[in-house]
Every structure is written in C-alpha cells, then in structure tokens.
Amino acid sequence: MNLYEKYRPKEWAGVIGQDKVVEQIKQLRQRGLAGRAYWISGQSGTGKTTIARLLAAEVADQWYVEEADATGLSPAALNRMESSMQTYSMGKGGRAYIINEAHGLSRPAVRQLLVLLERLPSHVVIIFTTTNEGQLTFFEDKQDAGPLLSRCLRLDLARRDLSKAFAQRAYEIANKEGLNGRPIEQYVRLCKDNRNNMRAIIQAIEAGAMSAGK
C-alpha cells in the first residue's frame, strides 16, 4: 500500500485543512445525511475523495458504498444503480454512491440524474466529486450544470492557507516512516511547490525527497 492510502484519514478528526466543510457535515448530521445528493468540489489532493468516503460511511457500511467514474456512467449503469437503491442494506441500512470526475458527466447521464435525484430514497446518498470549482457547464456540449447542481448540497473545499497544515501532517508522516531529514520549513516549500496536493506531497516524500542528503 502506498503511503497516501496508508495515511488517508479514517475519521473526521484526521481531515486536514477543511474545517469548514467538516463542520457543515457535522451540522447536517443532526438533520440526517441520507436522502440527499452532495457536490464536493476542490483542487486535486485537497481531500475530495477522503471526505466523500467519510460521508458515505456515515450512511452505509463499506460493502454498500459504490464508486464510479462519471465518464463511464451510462444510462444502463444508472438504471442498475437506481434499482439497487430501492432496498435497504445490512448494518447501517443505507446505501452510498460516489461519482468521481463529475464534470465529465454525459448529457444522457445528466438528464437521467435530474429525474433520479427527485425521487432519491431516504436511506441513500449520492456524492459527486469534481476539480471544477464554481462549475457552470459540463464538458459534453457545454451543457448547463445549474439544474443538476441545484439538486445537490454544495461542499466547496478550501484551497488557500493549506500549506502549513499540510506541511505539519507531511512532516509527521515522514517521521513515522523514517523518511525525514529536513526542517519543517522545507515541508512548507514542498507543499507550495506541489500546489497543496497532498497526494503529490506524500508521493514526493515516499520517493525520498525529504530524506537527509537529498
């Protein structure tokens, strides 16, 4: 297992730099997280997939969480998804569907999702993730994203002021793995050089970028 997956947060307390979104989700928990669609946007490596999986885990056990890439989401696949939504799962009872790279949704998929989200069962969550912040259109034919986004609860991840928080976490990981040979200031520089992409930061550490003598 690579270091990024090894240290991916397994609980909300481990999410770094996204306090506002985490607090939003905790407040929503009081009214119930299921029966909703969520739209998580943010630049690469800032926590979209981690937050999507933690959110899914609030509603459904691991075996009832499905992930798909938006570009491969055909009408037939959406039909199968909607069919599986109609039954409760074991354990927590809910079902969760994570659709990554949502900016790549096709026109037929968007059309079908508009209907599906109107009748989303109360035990189901659909979570879209995308790197397109402030999205106005989808890639295919520049179709208007407004109707679909209006059916989702928006969670926009922070992209600024992440370097210090990410550097501290990267420093801790490097220490645990015996890969640290640099002061914390150089981790801040590493974060900035990698545009606060935690995946890229940890991959650089795993490749020995912060080891002594490098």
Side-chain angles (χ1 to χ4, degrees), residues 32-50:
L33 294 169
R36 303 175 187 268
Y38 298 85
W39 188 273
I40 303 176
S41 65
Q43 66 184 42
S44 296
T46 54
K48 293 186 304 298
T49 299
T50 293

Side-chain angles (χ1 to χ4, degrees), residues 187-205:
Y187 284 85
V188 174
R189 172 49 56 192
L190 179 68
C191 291
K192 291 180 178 179
D193 288 346
N194 285 280
R195 301 183 63 190
N196 294 322
N197 182 326
M198 184 59 91
R199 183 183 299 104
I201 293 162
I202 294 178
Q203 285 176 340
I205 291 169

Side-chain angles (χ1 to χ4, degrees), residues 43-184:
Q43 66 184 42
S44 296
T46 54
K48 293 186 304 298
T49 299
T50 293
I51 290 172
R53 290 177 180 175
L54 288 173
L55 179 53
E58 291 270 351
V59 173
D61 288 296
Q62 178 183 355
W63 306 113
Y64 300 98
V65 176
E66 296 184 25
E67 287 195 44
D69 190 295
T71 56
L73 203 59
S74 65
L78 282 169
N79 285 335
R80 289 193 296 271
M81 181 186 295
E82 186 167 14
S83 178
S84 71
M85 290 177 185
Q86 305 313 310
T87 59
Y88 288 86
S89 69
M90 301 287 286
K92 295 175 183 176
R95 293 180 179 272
Y97 304 84
I98 300 172
I99 300 175
N100 295 311
E101 307 299 332
H103 48 269
L105 285 165
S106 67
R107 183 176 291 275
V110 171
R111 188 181 304 116
Q112 195 163 343
L113 282 164
L114 291 175
V115 177
L116 189 157
L117 293 183
E118 288 294 328
R119 56 192 184 211
L120 195 66
S122 61
H123 62 283
V124 171
V125 292
I126 295 182
I127 306 163
F128 300 94
T129 72
T130 178
T131 53
N132 277 28
E133 299 174 80
Q135 182 160 352
L136 298 175
T137 61
F138 293 105
F139 283 179
E140 184 175 298
D141 300 329
K142 297 296 182 182
Q143 57 181 311
D144 182 13
L148 182 59
L149 268 64
S150 71
R151 290 164 169 79
C152 301
L153 198 153
R154 300 282 297 272
L155 298 172
D156 300 319
L157 301 194
R159 60 180 300 172
R160 296 182 178 179
D161 303 320
L162 297 175
S163 295
K164 289 184 179 179
F166 279 17
Q168 184 59 46
R169 181 58 177 153
Y171 182 82
E172 292 168 0
I173 291 170
N175 272 329
K176 288 180 180 179
E177 295 294 327
L179 295 169
N180 178 38
R182 303 294 183 88
I184 188 67

